[in-house]
């Protein structure tokens, strides 16, 4: 099992930036993909970005393309989400997830991820 701990959330004004971190520990040998998801109050959880940790191939939701960047530090088993040009609609609880996912050509669905962090809150004010 993999333990995931998110950090870096907070409150910013629209147009600002935040960088989220997700540190993985435990048995990481069974995972090949890590992702970020978010859930706003009253809404379903949605995928934001994901990265295949071996190849570095990444995928993004259309709503965050060109604003968010997912990256990784394999030596530290850490994945980052750099969020720029934040909008009030980006306000949500952000969750990190990990799993073993066959190669795909799109952002993997949350059902493919087996391990989840507890989340970090991001609030963007107008």
């Amino acid at each position: 099992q993999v333990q995931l701990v998110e950090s870096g959330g907070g409150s910013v004004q629209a147009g600002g930036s935040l960088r989220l971190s997700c540190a993985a520990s435990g048995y990481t040998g069974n995972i090949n993909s890590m992702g970020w998801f978010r859930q706003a109050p009253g809404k379903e959880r949605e995928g934001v970005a994901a990265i295949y940790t071996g190849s570095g191939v990444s995928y993004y939701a259309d709503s965050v393309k060109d604003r968010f960047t997912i990256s990784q530090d394999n030596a530290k088993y850490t994945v980052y989400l750099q969020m720029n040009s934040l909008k009030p609609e980006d306000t949500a609880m952000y969750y990190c997830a990990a799993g073993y996912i066959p190669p795909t050509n799109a952002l993997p669905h949350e059902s493919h991820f087996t391990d989840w962090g507890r989340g970090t809150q991001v609030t963007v004010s107008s």
Side-chain angles (χ1 to χ4, degrees):
Q1 189 175 1
V2 178
Q3 291 77 47
L4 302 171
V5 178
E6 305 97 334
S7 61
S11 297
V12 295
Q13 290 189 329
S17 299
L18 283 173
R19 188 174 85 151
L20 306 183
S21 299
C22 173
S25 62
Y27 188 63
T28 58
N30 280 347
I31 67 171
N32 71 344
S33 181
M34 294 182 70
W36 288 96
F37 292 79
R38 66 186 182 186
Q39 187 168 22
K43 294 187 177 181
E44 294 186 352
R45 188 161 58 187
E46 62 175 354
V48 176
I51 186 168
Y52 281 87
T53 54
S55 64
V57 173
S58 58
Y59 297 99
Y60 297 89
D62 288 342
S63 58
V64 306
K65 279 181 181 177
D66 301 324
R67 299 189 298 122
F68 292 10
T69 303
I70 188 170
S71 61
Q72 61 181 342
D73 183 336
N74 286 338
K76 297 181 180 179
Y77 298 103
T78 300
V79 170
Y80 306 97
L81 185 68
Q82 178 67 44
M83 306 185 295
N84 299 327
S85 301
L86 282 161
K87 304 175 181 181
E89 50 263 45
D90 295 317
T91 295
M93 183 70 80
Y94 283 70
Y95 298 91
C96 178
Y100 186 86
I101 303 173
T104 180
N105 59 0
L107 186 63
H109 189 267
E110 63 176 82
S111 60
H112 294 296
F113 292 86
T114 53
D115 300 283
W116 292 81
R118 293 188 174 184
T120 185
Q121 177 68 38
V122 172
T123 303
V124 185
S125 59
S126 57

